[in-house]
């Protein structure tokens, strides 16, 4: 106490000597500093000729997202419409200015042609991205590290492996059918069963393990999978990233990340020392780590594999597996759910879909393979149209080299975030006439060439397009094939149309997706 008492007394003396008017002056300076910190970026790029949506203090343009007063899909559609005929401009996430790209040609330039200026993803603010609590494996990797890792891990998502995966995930789809047949009153929450299926697919594809999620009616995998994404965390981090950093703020639910990291480490440690590399995603990453992959044709000296081996330590493996849990579970379950939702509300679409399923079923029966899925052309149209109407609302990039905006004097600086408004493009009547209408024929062989490149991008575009896109599509189609072999789906009273989106999630509907099951067998 004696050590602390003298400084404490000095501090009290200093504060005690400050007059009332000096306190007022300090308060005013403090308020102005806070105001300056929150508004210092406002107007900076507008002076260079870029359009912007007028920001609000503290929230920027994200007040409804932060307060969850509107669904994300609604907010991003409104952002898009507010930009009018402007090809690009500035929007604000809290005090931070983001470059917003609306024009399809500019989007292709950013995501493909000038990719070297926008290599990195930007879903996690840079201030938080390298914090241990937010390490996210391959999705968080930057620059050359990402290039090496992606080059090495791509074989897991090759056409050959995807075909093999189709056979492995047929079992989880049949588990869903068995459970649906037991549903009371013939009504099932298809969101629930789509989630069970997605989690069981991850077990088979990533670990060669049967999680038995559907058979058990849900388990800890689903419990923690449902808790991964909490939209308020993204809003908080985007509004005040410096504060979030000082708080060691986690972008994802720590209980969920802890559960799946522990699982990944446990399975990995069990395999180490056996000299075995099972044919799954974990086995491939172990090969990368141990330098066991055969170099690709364009990598004769193995330089990419060498760099990848340096990056792919046990922690990188486990955090990348956690990414697969998060993306594979949420993306597959949400999109498959919405396929069932839209088909149930459009009986004429369901008739055509069932005809196609029955035709294939007459040839292959229950045991559909990855090769068979390619014959489900109309189902592909249904999936694509669902992806148009119920996508993840946006994708983000980070500027890695200064980039001059074509046709302007504005220069996008290093580290500035770039927003690509996926859902705005998907609902733009210029590109998709009568955009609210569910019309799979937009994607028919006769019509798909009419779609303007750069306007339909549910999985992103360019080198950082979602690496698991084809697997996600195959999983959804296999489950849909088995469901429509056995049932017709009809709306229930608790699942009205059009969809009412949740404000606390990215692309899920309120109350789940409860549909009536009409047996066809």
């Amino acid at each position: 106490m004696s050590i602390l008492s003298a400084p404490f007394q000095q501090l009290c003396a200093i504060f005690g000597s400050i007059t009332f008017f000096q306190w007022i002056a300090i308060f005013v300076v403090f308020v102005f500093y806070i105001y300056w910190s929150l508004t210092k970026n406002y107007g900076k790029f507008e002076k260079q000729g870029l359009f912007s949506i007028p920001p609000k203090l503290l929230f920027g343009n994200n007040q409804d997202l932060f307060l969850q007063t509107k669904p994300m899909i609604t907010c991003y559609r409104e952002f898009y419409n507010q930009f009018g005929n402007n090809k690009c401009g500035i929007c604000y996430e809290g005090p931070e200015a983001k470059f917003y790209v609306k024009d399809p040609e500019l989007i292709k330039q950013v995501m493909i042609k000038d990719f070297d200026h926008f290599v990195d993803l930007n879903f996690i603010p840079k201030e938080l991205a390298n914090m241990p609590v937010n390490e996210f494996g391959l999705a968080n990797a930057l620059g050359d590290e990402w290039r090496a890792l992606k080059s090495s891990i791509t074989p897991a998502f090759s056409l050959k492996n995807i075909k093999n995966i189709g056979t492995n995930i047929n079992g989880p789809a049949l588990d869903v059918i068995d459970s649906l047949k037991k549903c009371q009153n013939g009504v099932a929450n298809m969101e629930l069963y789509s989630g069970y299926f997605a989690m069981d697919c991850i077990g088979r594809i990533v670990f060669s393990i049967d999680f038995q999620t559907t058979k058990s009616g849900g388990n800890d995998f689903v419990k923690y999978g449902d808790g991964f994404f909490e939209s308020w965390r993204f809003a908080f981090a985007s509004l005040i990233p410096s504060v979030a950093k000082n708080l060691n703020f986690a972008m994802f639910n720590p209980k969920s990340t802890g559960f799946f990291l522990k699982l990944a480490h446990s399975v990995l440690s069990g395999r180490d020392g056996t000299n075995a590399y099972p044919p799954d995603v974990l086995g491939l990453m172990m090969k990368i780590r141990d330098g066991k992959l055969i170099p690709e044709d364009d990598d004769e000296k193995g330089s990419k594999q060498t760099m990848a081996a340096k990056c792919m330590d046990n922690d990188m493996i486990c955090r990348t597996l956690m990414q697969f849990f998060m993306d594979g579970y949420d993306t597959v379950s949400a999109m498959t759910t919405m396929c069932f939702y839209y088909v149930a509300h459009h009986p004429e679409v369901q008739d055509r879909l069932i005809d196609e399923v029955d035709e294939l079923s007459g040839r292959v029966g229950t045991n559909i393979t990855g090769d068979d899925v390619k014959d489900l052309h109309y189902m592909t149209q249904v999936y694509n149209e669902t992806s148009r109407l119920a996508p993840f609302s946006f994708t983000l990039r980070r500027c890695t080299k200064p980039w001059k905006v074509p046709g302007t004097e504005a220069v996008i600086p290093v580290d500035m975030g770039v927003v690509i408004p996926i859902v705005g493009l998907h609902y733009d009547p210029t590109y998709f006439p009568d955009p609210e209408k569910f019309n799979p024929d937009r994607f028919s062989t006769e019509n798909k060439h009419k779609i303007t490149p750069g306007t339909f991008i549910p999985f992103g575009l360019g080198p950082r397009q979602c690496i698991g896109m084809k697997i996600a599509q195959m999983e959804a189609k296999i489950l849909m094939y088995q469901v429509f072999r056995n049932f017709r789906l009809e709306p229930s009273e608790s699942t009205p149309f059009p969809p009412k989106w949740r404000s606390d999630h990215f692309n899920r509907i309120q109350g789940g997706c409860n549909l009536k099951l009409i047996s066809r067998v």
Side-chain angles (χ1 to χ4, degrees), residues 425-445:
L425 292 162
H426 286 192
Y427 278 85
D428 190 330
T430 304
Y431 310 122
F432 300 97
D434 197 5
E436 304 286 346
K437 182 179 180 181
F438 180 72
N439 179 16
D441 282 334
R442 300 179 199 273
F443 296 92
S444 67
T445 303

Side-chain angles (χ1 to χ4, degrees), residues 240-496:
I240 40 179
S242 57
V243 174
K245 180 180 180 180
N246 291 330
L247 293 175
N248 196 35
F249 184 75
M251 293 289 295
F252 309 98
N253 187 320
K255 292 182 179 179
S256 293
T257 56
F259 175 83
F260 286 109
L261 279 175
K262 182 178 179 181
L263 172 67
H265 279 289
S266 176
V267 177
L268 178 60
S269 63
R271 287 191 183 183
D272 275 335
T274 64
N275 294 319
Y277 300 96
D280 52 31
V281 174
L282 176 56
L284 176 71
M285 289 194 287
M286 291 172 66
K287 281 187 176 181
I288 296 171
R289 180 198 63 186
D290 298 342
K292 299 291 186 180
L293 277 184
I294 298 173
E296 298 174 10
D297 293 339
D298 65 343
D299 189 26
E300 294 181 1
K301 296 182 180 180
S303 58
K304 293 179 183 176
Q305 304 291 8
T306 299
M307 179 178 287
K310 292 180 180 178
C311 301
M312 190 63 81
D313 57 16
N314 283 0
D315 191 56
M316 174 63 80
I317 288 175
C318 292
R319 291 188 178 277
T320 300
L321 291 179
M322 182 182 68
Q323 173 201 339
F324 292 154
F325 270 112
M326 298 170 77
D327 289 346
Y329 174 72
D330 197 79
T331 300
V332 171
S333 60
M335 195 56 60
T336 310
T337 297
M338 294 310 298
C339 283
F340 291 134
Y341 173 87
Y342 281 112
V343 170
H345 284 87
H346 294 83
E348 73 286 356
V349 170
Q350 188 165 188
D351 289 341
R352 290 178 62 182
L353 190 57
I354 286 176
D355 286 345
E356 181 177 71
V357 166
D358 287 349
E359 192 281 327
L360 181 60
S361 179
R363 291 189 283 117
V364 305
T366 301
N367 298 313
I368 187 172
T369 67
D371 272 329
D372 299 325
V373 170
K374 70 180 187 299
D375 293 332
L376 295 169
H377 302 293
Y378 189 65
M379 185 178 289
T380 299
Q381 294 174 213
V382 169
Y383 183 90
N384 285 339
E385 179 68 344
T386 302
S387 301
R388 182 185 71 82
L389 289 168
F392 193 91
S393 296
F394 61 94
T395 188
L396 301 170
R397 299 292 184 267
R398 180 184 293 119
C399 186
T400 53
K401 295 180 184 178
W403 187 73
K404 186 175 182 294
V405 180
T408 76
E409 296 302 315
V411 176
I412 303 306
V414 172
D415 288 339
M416 187 172 188
V418 181
V419 180
I420 311 297
I422 294 174
V423 73
L425 292 162
H426 286 192
Y427 278 85
D428 190 330
T430 304
Y431 310 122
F432 300 97
D434 197 5
E436 304 286 346
K437 182 179 180 181
F438 180 72
N439 179 16
D441 282 334
R442 300 179 199 273
F443 296 92
S444 67
T445 303
E446 297 78 16
N447 292 328
K448 62 183 180 181
H449 71 278
K450 300 175 184 178
I451 298 174
T452 303
T455 62
F456 177 66
I457 49 174
F459 288 91
L461 189 67
R464 293 215 75 151
Q465 184 181 54
C466 176
I467 193 172
M469 174 183 68
K470 292 181 179 179
I471 290 180
Q473 293 170 338
M474 176 169 287
E475 289 179 21
K477 291 175 190 176
I478 287 179
L479 180 58
M480 290 169 68
Y481 171 81
Q482 297 296 2
V483 167
F484 290 112
R485 277 186 73 244
N486 289 272
F487 304 100
R488 284 192 68 90
L489 301 180
E490 294 182 357
S492 72
E493 294 75 9
S494 62
T495 307

Side-chain angles (χ1 to χ4, degrees), residues 124 134 136 228-230 233-234 250-254 257 326:
I124 300 177
N134 289 321
F136 199 38
F228 255 132
F229 292 107
E230 296 175 308
R233 291 181 178 273
F234 287 84
M251 293 289 295
F252 309 98
N253 187 320
T257 56
M326 298 170 77

